[in-house]
Amino acid sequence: MAIPRFAVLAHPVAHSLSPRIHASFGRQMSIALDYSAIDATAEEFGNALGAFAASGGVGANITLPHKQRAAAACDTLSERARRAGAANTLTRGATGWHGDNTDGVGLVRDLTGRHALDLRARRTLLIGAGGAARGVAPALLDAGIGDLFIVNRTPERADALADALEQPGRVHPRYLDDLKALGEFDLIVNATSAAREGAMPALPMSLAGARTAAVDLSYGEVAIPFLAWARAAGAHDAIDGLGMLVEQAAESFALWHGARPDTDPVFAELREHRAALVTAD
Ligand code: ATR
């Protein structure tokens, strides 16, 4: 039997850890798979996904900047992908792709499992309203956080996300400029890609305190400015997105292969790998 083909589609894709993660999961679970990385710009995405399907691709992970595009390219969507308007896990059906979104559950598993945080009733600030923010917001609400405040550079997108979440008494869009008036949060999630452009929204220190967990959905260099801000502001926890990356991958793996791998050894391997990269720099 041919080895099933999987891939991650992104732009850029060179530094994606997904091929490494899925190869490790496959070894751990004794499941043979071929997982590659496909670089596709926004213009190339549709053709690249079509070519991957034509070549026998059965599953794809989708990441920056294509998650909303991917949802639109699917024939069918899971409820959580529909709510997010963004897909990170595509599975090939008889006639087309089925889209799902494992980012939110991946984040919640990382925070409640690996970091042993109790999310219930946490007053939460979500910074950003793009694909990444849309992916995690429903899962945070489902995990029992308290009020959710959403701020975004483009306020209309924060309004649109708040509307889409359909919990008006609990979800509050606000202006970035008004952050100072919002007091302290128990959980702050940075879901912007601002640091990729060398920028970070100006955040008042008053947002974080001794109870605050601050989480950046990215990892590596781009997570540094936000996590440094969080530590300087006195946050109790400053957590990057590497654990979420491994957890969302395990959820995708389970959807495709019907069995969930143990994420701890793979997380430890990636931490070591990244530390070695930094040392080599
Ligand atoms: P992703 O899938 O990473 O969410 P996206 O959908 O392009 O990608 O969303 C990027 C997010 O980062 C958005 O919230 C975006 O704000 P806008 O909606 O105003 O574009 C935010 N973002 C990107 N660059 C930013 C910057 N320099 N300052 C503040 N926010 C920024």
Side-chain angles (χ1 to χ4, degrees), residues 99-268:
D100 202 342
N101 196 319
T102 64
D103 280 338
V105 70
L107 174 65
V108 168
R109 283 192 84 116
D110 183 54
L111 297 181
T112 57
R114 183 164 292 111
H115 297 284
L117 296 182
D118 186 351
L119 298 182
R120 285 171 299 172
R122 282 200 182 224
R123 187 170 187 262
T124 299
L125 175 65
L126 177 63
I127 308 167
R134 285 179 163 267
V136 301
L140 289 171
L141 291 168
D142 290 350
I145 60 165
D147 280 351
L148 175 64
F149 291 77
I150 306 175
V151 293
N152 192 47
R153 177 178 60 179
T154 310
E156 294 77 16
R157 287 183 93 190
D159 291 342
L161 173 53
D163 286 348
L165 292 169
E166 293 175 342
Q167 299 198 25
R170 192 173 171 209
V171 177
H172 318 282
R174 291 287 185 269
Y175 292 111
L176 259 177
D177 286 348
D178 294 343
L179 277 177
K180 258 207 173 85
L182 294 185
E184 196 174 306
F185 288 90
D186 306 314
L187 176 65
I188 305 177
V189 178
N190 180 27
T192 76
S193 57
R196 277 171 221 281
E197 303 158 18
M200 191 181 93
L203 302 174
M205 295 286 183
S206 54
L207 295 175
R211 286 194 317 270
T212 308
V215 184
D216 198 304
L217 300 190
S218 57
Y219 57 88
E221 267 180 24
V222 286
I224 290 173
F226 174 75
L227 296 180
W229 168 84
R231 287 190 194 98
H236 189 270
D237 306 275
I239 298 168
D240 74 5
L242 194 66
M244 170 186 167
L245 179 78
V246 180
E247 297 303 325
Q248 64 77 30
E251 296 294 323
S252 297
F253 192 96
L255 286 171
W256 291 330
H257 305 287
R260 196 178 195 283
D262 179 4
T263 53
D264 285 343
V266 179
F267 178 74

Side-chain angles (χ1 to χ4, degrees), residues 42-112:
E43 295 71 33
E44 293 162 349
F45 179 77
N47 285 341
L49 187 62
F52 176 60
S55 73
V58 295
N61 283 127
I62 310 295
T63 186
L64 278 171
H66 300 314
K67 289 180 189 178
Q68 282 159 291
R69 202 166 285 119
C74 286
D75 278 10
T76 54
L77 291 175
S78 68
E79 172 61 16
R80 59 191 179 182
R82 191 195 59 74
R83 272 169 88 195
N88 78 332
T89 306
L90 271 50
T91 305
R92 189 74 193 165
T95 55
W97 293 101
H98 174 71
D100 202 342
N101 196 319
T102 64
D103 280 338
V105 70
L107 174 65
V108 168
R109 283 192 84 116
D110 183 54
L111 297 181
T112 57

